[in-house]
Amino acid sequence: MTTLILIERQQKASFADSLNKRYAVVSVASGKQAIAAAQTEPTAPTAVILDAISMKTSGERIARQIKAEVMDTPLIHLHPGPKEAVNSPADSVLIAPLTARKLALAVARFARPAPVTERDTLLNCGPFSMNLNRRTLTYNGQEMPLSPKLALLVEYFLRHPGETLDRKQLMEQIWHTDYMGDTRTLDVHIRWFRRAIEGDPHATVSLVTVRKVGYRLEIPAAEPIVTHAPHAEFHVDVLHSV
């Protein structure tokens, strides 16, 4: 189920009441709690909603803090306004007054995957099928949406099954940095990927930690294959590990 993290102060009318009808909502009272919740969720949350209106503040400092720590997760900022004074790094800013319907429409833009088209590219490896265009991973019949960085990380592992990938290599390839002083972001994304694939007790794959080196995705007799989406005329290219 799609998970949302809602930052708000307690009030009589909460947006959580309407959002709970369609999503799993985790309510917190501060930006720090939201960051902690985002980093400990079993899978990447679909969005963080900052209800700065309920907090009687612009919320812009909190928004900057959230984007710095969980930059891969969309942020919806409910801003008290005025519109001309907004300076928020959020992916979507809604100005007061606003309705639950307007917020639901904003959330849906992040929660609803784009329709599959014949132009979509699928990366198949063992029991995995990843739609590179829609950023979704199908495993054991379950389709999971992936955040942008998690999608890049999963794709990299699927293109290198059975290979040990060191942490520096992953930081360079996915986050385009060789700075190893703080790898919490990598740790969080590895945890999200691991929980997604190892929840099945009968799983035949695993993400192995290679001590003091990095990680290896164990997929028996797997070779990555790229195709186009189903029902389209396509050719198949076999990609050998580099």
Side-chain angles (χ1 to χ4, degrees), residues 6 21 27 36 46 49 111 116 126 144 154-155 185 208 217 230 236-237:
L6 173 63
K21 296 175 182 177
S27 295
T46 295
I49 302 171
V116 178
M144 297 167 279
V154 170
E155 179 183 353
T185 296
V208 177
L217 181 61
V236 177
D237 297 319

Side-chain angles (χ1 to χ4, degrees), residues 44-123:
T46 295
V48 175
I49 302 171
L50 169 59
D51 185 358
I53 302 169
S54 72
M55 304 171 80
K56 302 187 184 305
T57 175
S58 70
E60 292 173 0
R61 180 185 60 80
I62 300 172
R64 288 191 292 271
Q65 181 184 27
I66 292 169
K67 291 304 290 183
E69 293 290 336
V70 285
M71 62 184 72
D72 198 27
T73 300
L75 174 63
I76 301 173
H77 188 165
L78 312 187
H79 199 290
K83 185 175 182 179
E84 296 75 15
V86 173
N87 182 23
S88 172
D91 302 276
S92 177
V93 179
L94 305 180
I95 307 297
L98 58 94
T99 63
R101 175 176 172 77
K102 189 172 182 179
L103 174 57
L105 291 174
V107 171
R109 285 196 290 270
F110 296 109
R112 185 187 305 120
V116 178
T117 71
E118 294 182 354
R119 298 177 182 176
D120 283 2
T121 301
L122 305 181
L123 173 60

Side-chain angles (χ1 to χ4, degrees), residues 14-218:
S14 169
F15 284 115
D17 297 334
S18 59
L19 293 172
N20 269 319
K21 296 175 182 177
R22 297 188 60 185
Y23 308 104
V25 180
V26 177
S27 295
V28 296
S30 70
K32 288 184 178 180
Q33 292 178 11
I35 292 168
Q39 293 177 340
T40 55
E41 277 295 303
T43 58
T46 295
V48 175
I49 302 171
L50 169 59
D51 185 358
I53 302 169
S54 72
M55 304 171 80
K56 302 187 184 305
T57 175
S58 70
E60 292 173 0
R61 180 185 60 80
I62 300 172
R64 288 191 292 271
Q65 181 184 27
I66 292 169
K67 291 304 290 183
E69 293 290 336
V70 285
M71 62 184 72
D72 198 27
T73 300
L75 174 63
I76 301 173
H77 188 165
L78 312 187
H79 199 290
K83 185 175 182 179
E84 296 75 15
V86 173
N87 182 23
S88 172
D91 302 276
S92 177
V93 179
L94 305 180
I95 307 297
L98 58 94
T99 63
R101 175 176 172 77
K102 189 172 182 179
L103 174 57
L105 291 174
V107 171
R109 285 196 290 270
F110 296 109
R112 185 187 305 120
V116 178
T117 71
E118 294 182 354
R119 298 177 182 176
D120 283 2
T121 301
L122 305 181
L123 173 60
N124 302 296
C125 186
F128 296 104
S129 179
M130 181 177 177
N131 189 312
L132 302 182
N133 302 74
R134 299 172 68 232
R135 296 199 306 266
T136 59
L137 179 69
T138 300
Y139 175 58
N140 286 346
Q142 298 294 318
E143 184 180 83
M144 297 167 279
L146 305 173
S147 60
K149 290 298 184 187
L150 184 56
L152 291 174
L153 182 68
V154 170
E155 179 183 353
Y156 197 72
F157 273 109
L158 294 183
R159 289 186 183 274
H160 300 83
E163 296 183 31
T164 297
L165 307 178
D166 66 63
R167 292 171 65 83
K168 183 177 181 182
Q169 178 182 0
L170 293 172
M171 290 296 293
E172 289 175 345
Q173 292 292 327
I174 310 304
W175 285 274
H176 307 294
T177 179
D178 57 3
Y179 176 65
M180 299 300 293
D182 186 355
T183 59
R184 286 177 300 173
T185 296
L186 172 60
D187 297 335
V188 168
H189 285 73
I190 288 290
R191 183 167 64 247
W192 282 338
F193 185 29
R194 178 170 279 148
R195 288 178 178 175
I197 67 176
E198 296 182 353
D200 183 350
H202 304 293
T204 58
V205 301
S206 60
L207 186 57
V208 177
T209 298
V210 181
R211 192 167 180 266
K212 296 185 178 180
V213 180
Y215 307 93
R216 183 175 62 252
L217 181 61
E218 296 284 12

